[in-house]
């Protein structure tokens, strides 16, 4: 009656055999499970980032149930595993401070437990990157089910883009063109349904990029959270997870440099978030793939913008889904994709593009009529960013992509807030706002503050964009001519810490240059201001201390140096 134990299953190391330890592992798990549950059936963890404090992921319990049904139907045993969750809008000082902690905790819990494979449920910005970093390092068979974007909300008959319209409306209030009362009345319309932000922010970007990488079942990413097809896809993903274990399809077996090539092509074509760059670099680092900023620039720079979504365009994620979704976009750039890259179902990504169609050309453009040329995130280098910085041209003002102007320096985001509307601040549309102390180590955690609001008096004059430079990040929902991720950051001794108000800065996006026009000998003679070298609230204990001591710079994905690479899934020593 009983099937023999299958030694090939990792979980058999816990449940196989007749000795005392196997007895303990089985007995405490039984609680109604039949004996067959421990005999040759793949144990599939469902790593779930559902949390009431991560509102974008709060519905993932329902998605997990559909995954469970699929796992069980295919002969596996589903095991829900709550993992660290990060609500982008809720946690202070920034969710990025804990992306690596979430990845580390998930990696260790997957390794420590008797699981053979895992379905990763994420949504809000850092959750899918953290889950993928974990899965890459533990290298168990794994796939991602993104929780999906929310539906479009409306206010006064206008669609509201989550995040993007918060920035836009708050700027309108500062400019005096929208009343405070109307601004606050829009608040309850901003988030219409379950799901993550509906613009092409970081959550949407990372779900689509994870599919282009090959880690999401093709066609699933971007399915709106309330759409019944998400649960159908989750059910099928549960079945696929059991198949992954049977075929031993682990991240290291199908995630290659070619997968990252395709992810960068997709990132550019969708006009995705700049945050994807640090996340892709970090995931690649876990796999031992030497991906660099220059790869991002080289592969993505010439890709046209094919998706008309906020913040670079007009529409929102449920529009992208009805218009054909990611596969319709990728079909347009099929010749630029690496045909060797596989997806989690074992087939090449490009094999999934034959049936894809554009159903609304206002949302997804054909290759020969793109919404913009050369949409990829560009990498800048120069005397102000020796190890690189990035800019998203699709979200910038074309007239500022080549610019030279005097710096107006802020030593922290608090310094910025205290002085930006000071009438004595000398600033105009030619100025370059510089914000430092916001890098991985200096803040710490690299917050999304780089898209500094403009001074009220410039807004009132109708100015809507000036050049900004920062060692922090910006929200994927934000826009503007913003140079981000400057490396090394000021707290790591980068030249950003030496800039003085009035120094000339030159930006040339086409040439990939960000220069501080101060002679090298004069710069060498300057002492960095102590406020720029991480003195602000320097952590003395706990995770923040570990983070500051080990975090790498943005050009390396801001992962901890001790987390780069993988440890695999072997644990040979028993617990009793
Ligand atoms: Fe969660 Fe935007 S706040 S995705």
């Amino acid at each position: 009656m009983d099937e023999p134990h299958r030694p090939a299953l990792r979980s058999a190391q816990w449940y196989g055999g007749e000795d005392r330890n196997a007895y303990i592992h089985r007995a405490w798990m039984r609680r109604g499970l039949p004996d067959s549950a421990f005999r040759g059936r793949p144990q599939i963890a469902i790593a779930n980032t559902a949390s009431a404090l991560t509102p974008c992921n709060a519905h993932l319990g329902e998605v997990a149930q559909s995954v469970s049904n699929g796992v069980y139907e295919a002969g596996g045993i589903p095991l829900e595993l709550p993992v660290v969750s990060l609500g982008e809008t809720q946690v202070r000082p920034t969710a990025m401070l804990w992306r690596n902690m979430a990845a580390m905790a998930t990696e260790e819990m997957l390794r420590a437990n008797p699981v053979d494979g895992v379905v990763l449920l994420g949504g809000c910005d850092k959750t899918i990157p953290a889950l993928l970093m974990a899965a890459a390092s533990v290298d168990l068979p794994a796939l991602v089910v993104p929780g999906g974007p929310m539906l479009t909300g409306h206010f006064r008959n206008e669609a509201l883009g989550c995040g993007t319209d918060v920035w836009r409306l708050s700027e309108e209030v500062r400019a005096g063109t929208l009343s405070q009362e109307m601004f606050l009345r829009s608040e309850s319309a901003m988030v219409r349904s379950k799901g993550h932000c509906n613009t092409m922010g970081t959550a949407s970007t990372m779900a689509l990029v994870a599919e282009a990488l090959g880690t999401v079942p093709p066609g699933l990413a971007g399915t709106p959270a309330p759409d019944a097809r998400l649960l159908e896809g989750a059910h099928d993903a549960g079945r696929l997870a059991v198949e992954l274990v049977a075929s031993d399809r682990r991240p290291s077996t199908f995630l290659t440099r070619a997968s990252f090539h395709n992810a960068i092509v997709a990132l550019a074509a969708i006009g995705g978030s700049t945050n994807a760059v640090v996340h892709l670099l970090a995931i690649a680092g876990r796999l031992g793939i030497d991906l660099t900023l220059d790869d991002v620039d080289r592969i993505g720079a010439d890709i046209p913008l094919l998706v008309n979504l906020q913040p670079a365009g007009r529409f929102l994620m449920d529009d992208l889904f009805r218009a054909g979704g990611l596969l319709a976009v990728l079909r347009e750039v099929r010749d630029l994709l690496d045909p060797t890259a596989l997806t989690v179902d074992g087939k090449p990504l490009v094999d999934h593009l034959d049936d894809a169609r554009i159903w609304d050309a206002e949302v997804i453009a054909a290759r020969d009529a793109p919404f913009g040329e050369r949409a990829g995130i560009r990498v800048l280098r120069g005397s102000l960013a020796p190890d690189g910085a990035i800019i998203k041209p699709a979200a910038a003002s074309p007239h500022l992509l080549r610019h030279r102007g005097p710096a107006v320096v802020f030593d922290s985001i608090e310094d910025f807030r205290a002085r930006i509307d000071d009438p004595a601040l000398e600033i105009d549309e030619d100025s370059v706002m510089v914000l430092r102390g916001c890098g991985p180590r200096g803040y710490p955690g690299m917050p999304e503050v780089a898209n500094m609001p403009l001074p009220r008096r410039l807004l009132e004059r109708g100015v809507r964009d000036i050049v900004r430079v920062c060692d922090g990040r910006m929200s994927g929902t934000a826009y503007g001519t913003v140079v981000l991720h400057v490396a090394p950051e000021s707290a790591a001794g980068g030249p950003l810490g030496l800039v003085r108000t009035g120094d000339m800065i030159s930006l040339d996006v086409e040439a990939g240059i960000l220069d501080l026009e101060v002679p090298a000998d004069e710069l060498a003679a300057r002492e960095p201001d102590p406020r720029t070298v991480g003195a602000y609230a320097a952590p003395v204990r706990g995770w923040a201390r570990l983070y500051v001591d080990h975090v790498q710079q943005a050009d390396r994905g801001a992962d901890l140096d001790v987390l780069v690479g993988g440890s695999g899934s072997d644990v040979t020593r028993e617990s009793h």
Side-chain angles (χ1 to χ4, degrees):
M1 176 179 84
D2 294 339
E3 289 178 47
H5 295 303
R6 289 176 51 186
L9 281 180
R10 176 177 184 267
S11 58
Q13 296 169 28
W14 279 257
Y15 297 134
E18 312 294 328
D19 64 9
R20 188 195 64 178
N21 282 337
Y23 173 105
I24 292 171
H25 292 309
R26 289 193 300 262
W28 263 257
M29 282 297 286
R30 279 186 186 272
R31 302 171 196 257
L33 278 176
D35 191 58
S36 63
F38 306 103
R39 296 182 180 277
R41 296 178 67 174
Q43 311 287 310
I44 306 295
I46 302 168
N48 193 352
T49 53
S51 162
L53 282 166
T54 305
C56 306
N57 295 15
H59 64 294
L60 290 180
E62 182 187 12
V63 179
Q65 186 56 54
S66 291
V67 174
S68 290
N69 295 346
V71 169
Y72 206 80
E73 185 180 275
I77 301 296
L79 300 155
E80 199 166 330
L81 175 67
V83 294
V84 176
S85 190
L86 297 169
E88 190 67 29
T89 51
Q90 306 309 105
V91 294
R92 292 176 168 178
T94 170
M96 185 65 174
L97 178 59
W98 296 289
R99 181 202 63 176
N100 302 337
M101 186 189 80
M104 185 170 75
T106 303
E107 174 193 339
E108 298 295 356
M109 287 306 97
L110 289 173
R111 183 181 298 114
N113 277 295
V115 297
D116 300 300
V118 58
V119 178
L120 308 162
L121 304 188
C124 198
D125 292 19
K126 306 296 176 292
T127 52
I128 287 178
L131 291 168
L132 278 174
M133 290 161 71
S137 285
V138 74
D139 201 27
L140 283 167
L143 61 88
V144 177
V145 175
M150 62 184 77
L151 300 177
T152 303
H154 292 84
F155 182 63
R156 299 193 301 181
N157 202 33
E158 274 183 28
L160 281 182
C162 254
T164 303
D165 275 326
V166 179
W167 314 129
R168 184 178 63 81
L169 296 175
S170 63
E171 294 285 79
E172 294 300 332
V173 173
R174 284 164 55 76
T177 52
L178 179 74
S179 73
Q180 181 74 15
E181 188 207 340
M182 289 315 286
F183 175 65
L184 291 179
R185 278 173 62 180
S186 72
E187 185 177 305
S188 3
M190 184 59 68
V191 174
R192 180 180 169 201
S193 75
K194 56 188 164 187
H196 61 67
C197 291
N198 56 8
T199 46
M200 190 56 79
T202 305
S204 303
T205 298
M206 288 312 301
L208 299 175
V209 162
E211 181 169 316
L213 260 183
T215 60
V216 176
L220 186 57
T223 307
D227 195 303
R229 285 167 286 188
L230 177 66
L231 298 183
E232 190 179 330
H235 184 107
D236 290 343
R239 293 184 58 87
L240 179 57
V242 174
E243 185 192 318
L244 292 190
V245 173
S247 51
D248 195 29
R249 200 174 304 138
R250 291 171 285 113
S252 63
T253 67
F254 71 94
L255 282 178
T256 62
R257 176 167 274 279
S259 316
F260 285 86
H261 175 104
N262 289 350
I264 293 167
V265 171
L267 175 62
I270 62 175
S273 162
T274 48
N275 283 320
V277 175
V278 281
H279 298 323
L280 282 172
L281 292 170
I283 297 164
R286 299 301 188 97
L287 291 157
I289 295 172
D290 184 26
L291 191 75
T292 66
L293 277 182
D294 292 331
D295 292 322
V296 174
D297 192 280
R298 179 179 52 79
I299 297 166
D302 291 335
I303 307 290
L305 178 65
L306 299 180
V307 172
N308 185 10
L309 250 64
Q310 294 187 34
R314 172 176 152 214
F315 291 99
L316 294 161
M317 281 298 285
D318 50 359
D319 299 307
L320 178 62
F321 184 66
R322 68 173 171 74
L326 178 69
L327 297 182
V329 178
L330 292 181
R331 191 170 192 257
E332 294 299 308
V333 288
R334 183 178 193 147
D335 58 310
L336 303 174
L337 297 171
D338 191 317
T340 66
L342 302 176
T343 73
V344 73
D345 69 357
K347 299 188 193 123
L349 177 67
V350 293
D351 284 10
H352 294 281
L353 305 180
D354 295 339
D355 296 336
R357 292 285 180 281
I358 297 171
W359 298 108
D360 185 341
E362 279 195 273
V363 181
I364 302 176
R367 172 83 163 274
D368 56 7
F371 298 117
E373 304 285 351
R374 312 193 70 216
I377 289 164
R378 296 300 312 271
V379 174
L380 308 168
R381 291 183 193 276
S383 56
L384 191 50
D387 292 338
I390 62 173
I391 187 169
K392 181 175 174 180
S397 302
H399 72 282
L400 291 173
L401 293 176
R402 190 155 185 237
H403 181 80
R404 182 173 179 273
V408 178
V409 179
F410 302 96
D411 284 320
S412 66
I413 189 64
E414 291 78 13
D415 179 34
F416 167 81
R417 288 183 185 130
R419 293 197 291 128
I420 187 59
D421 284 325
D422 183 342
L425 184 71
E426 290 187 21
I427 189 166
D428 63 22
E429 51 267 60
D430 291 329
S431 302
V432 175
M433 288 203 287
V434 172
L435 174 59
R436 58 193 175 196
C438 298
R441 197 187 296 175
Y443 193 70
M446 212 184 171
E448 293 183 334
V449 295
N451 55 310
M452 293 163 264
L454 269 51
R456 189 188 305 272
R457 66 177 188 274
L458 290 189
L459 288 170
E460 286 169 352
R461 280 177 33 208
V463 178
R464 288 294 181 269
D465 193 12
I466 67 175
V467 175
R468 290 156 268 183
V469 178
C470 182
D471 47 9
R473 299 176 299 121
M474 76 172 181
S475 165
T477 63
Y479 49 85
T481 310
V482 187
V483 177
L484 314 143
H485 306 191
V486 171
E489 62 174 298
S490 61
L496 197 67
L498 301 174
V499 185
R500 290 179 181 165
T501 291
D503 288 346
M504 292 304 288
I505 291 176
S506 59
L507 167 71
D508 187 337
V509 174
E510 180 61 34
I513 290 171
L514 180 68
D515 271 339
L516 176 62
E517 296 183 7
V518 176
D521 54 342
E522 185 185 331
L523 209 56
R526 287 185 185 177
E527 290 291 327
D529 187 316
R531 287 171 299 178
T532 70
V533 294
Y536 184 81
V540 294
R541 66 175 297 280
W543 170 257
R545 177 59 192 262
L546 280 177
Y547 179 91
V548 165
D549 286 349
H550 290 280
V551 72
Q552 302 185 111
Q553 291 295 286
D555 62 305
R556 309 294 300 270
D559 199 1
L560 300 198
D561 53 10
V562 290
L563 292 175
V564 172
S567 305
S569 63
D570 283 351
V571 186
T572 55
R573 304 185 83 180
E574 258 298 0
S575 52
H576 306 100

